[in-house]
Amino acid sequence: MLKKIFKYVFFTIITFIVLVGIYMLSERILSRISVNENQTSETKNITIYVMSNGVHTDLVLPIKNEYLDWSTLFSFENTLGKSSRFKFIAIGWGDKGFYLNTPEWKDLKVSTALVAAIGIGETALHVTYYNNIQIDDLTKKIEISENQYLSLIKYIENSISFGSNHKPQLIETTAQYGQNDAFYEANRSYSIFFTCNTWANDALKTSGIKASKWVAFDKGILFQHQ
């Protein structure tokens, strides 16, 4: 009996290791395959950024231009600082439990990780305002066209969970990362196959902007815009 249990545990562990290996290898290969590499001939007069903190990717957009004033969706009043003197808005999507309950990796609970991994938890949008964006290894500048930007707007709007007042639903929380950010309810489910970085990559991909075939981590997105 003990021998059978040991054999079962052994094969379970081996199977898990193999599946993780397949997942990691697939991500590595697909994240290096480019889509939308042959860019549109349209004039690229809008600057956006892809910003990573080393794990999670945000899309950074101009606060306001002739196409949209993002503050009409995500009010400055919803931040702790309530300042409106910003030039850029960073928008990220992810698991709500991660966002609100895991300010640092040391705070990560097994239950939070499992809920996120299997896609049964709720999701949120994290909105942060900036005055300046510095280009570095984790922040990439991208020039896009009007039509690409309009597609990007549509993708982000489709990710917002609007309330009965037709406004994004603010998440009342004390989990803000600073004075200039806020959280909102989001659509879609997070899983190991559709992560925060998958969301950002798909935003670029569906908007006709150079992106990866598929990513789970931030490195593939950054690789496409070296």
Side-chain angles (χ1 to χ4, degrees):
M1 183 66 178
L2 185 60
K3 187 176 180 179
K4 287 184 179 180
I5 294 175
F6 176 78
K7 185 182 292 187
Y8 175 78
V9 172
F10 174 77
F11 280 109
T12 299
I13 293 173
I14 293 299
T15 301
F16 176 77
I17 292 173
V18 170
L19 290 176
V20 170
I22 293 172
Y23 177 84
M24 299 295 287
L25 181 61
S26 299
E27 200 280 341
R28 174 70 180 183
I29 294 171
L30 293 174
S31 68
R32 267 57 181 180
I33 298 175
S34 301
V35 297
N36 303 327
E37 196 164 11
N38 298 321
Q39 287 293 290
T40 175
S41 59
E42 295 176 332
T43 301
K44 296 179 181 178
N45 56 352
I46 302 172
T47 300
I48 67 168
Y49 302 85
V50 172
M51 178 188 293
S52 170
N53 63 5
V55 177
H56 167 88
T57 309
D58 283 346
L59 301 175
V60 184
L61 315 169
I63 279 283
K64 182 180 179 180
N65 57 22
E66 59 266 43
Y67 309 109
L68 181 64
D69 179 351
W70 286 101
S71 68
T72 61
L73 283 175
F74 304 114
S75 174
F76 298 118
E77 291 296 314
N78 292 333
T79 67
L80 294 176
K82 302 188 185 305
S83 174
S84 60
R85 291 178 290 183
F86 296 104
K87 298 178 181 178
F88 303 98
I89 183 171
I91 303 174
W93 176 97
D95 180 76
K96 188 175 178 180
F98 262 110
Y99 269 141
L100 304 185
N101 304 321
T102 314
E104 298 181 13
W105 283 110
K106 66 180 182 180
D107 301 308
L108 179 61
K109 298 178 181 178
V110 174
S111 58
T112 300
L114 285 175
V115 166
I118 61 179
I120 61 173
E122 297 179 315
T123 54
L125 288 168
H126 183 220
V127 172
T128 311
Y129 301 100
Y130 293 95
N131 272 319
N132 298 292
I133 304 298
Q134 294 185 341
I135 305 299
D136 56 29
D137 290 342
L138 295 178
T139 302
K140 305 299 181 180
K141 180 180 178 180
I142 308 173
E143 302 291 345
I144 66 174
S145 70
E146 172 187 344
N147 285 330
Q148 288 173 326
Y149 189 64
L150 291 173
S151 294
L152 198 58
I153 291 172
K154 183 177 180 180
Y155 179 92
I156 294 172
E157 288 181 335
N158 287 338
S159 300
I160 301 171
S161 177
F162 289 94
S164 57
N165 59 354
H166 305 293
K167 293 286 187 180
Q169 299 179 73
L170 176 69
I171 298 174
E172 301 287 350
T173 179
T174 58
Q176 290 94 337
Y177 297 172
Q179 293 293 304
N180 306 315
D181 67 313
F183 292 96
Y184 297 86
E185 300 287 355
N187 295 325
R188 302 199 65 162
S189 296
Y190 184 105
S191 74
I192 61 173
F193 300 107
F194 194 89
T195 70
C196 54
N197 299 305
T198 313
W199 178 87
N201 184 72
D202 278 12
L204 301 179
K205 185 165 62 173
T206 59
S207 301
I209 303 165
K210 187 179 180 183
S212 298
K213 188 74 173 177
W214 175 72
V215 303
F217 311 117
D218 66 322
K219 300 297 184 294
I221 304 175
L222 299 176
F223 171 82
Q224 299 296 338
H225 296 281
Q226 292 180 2

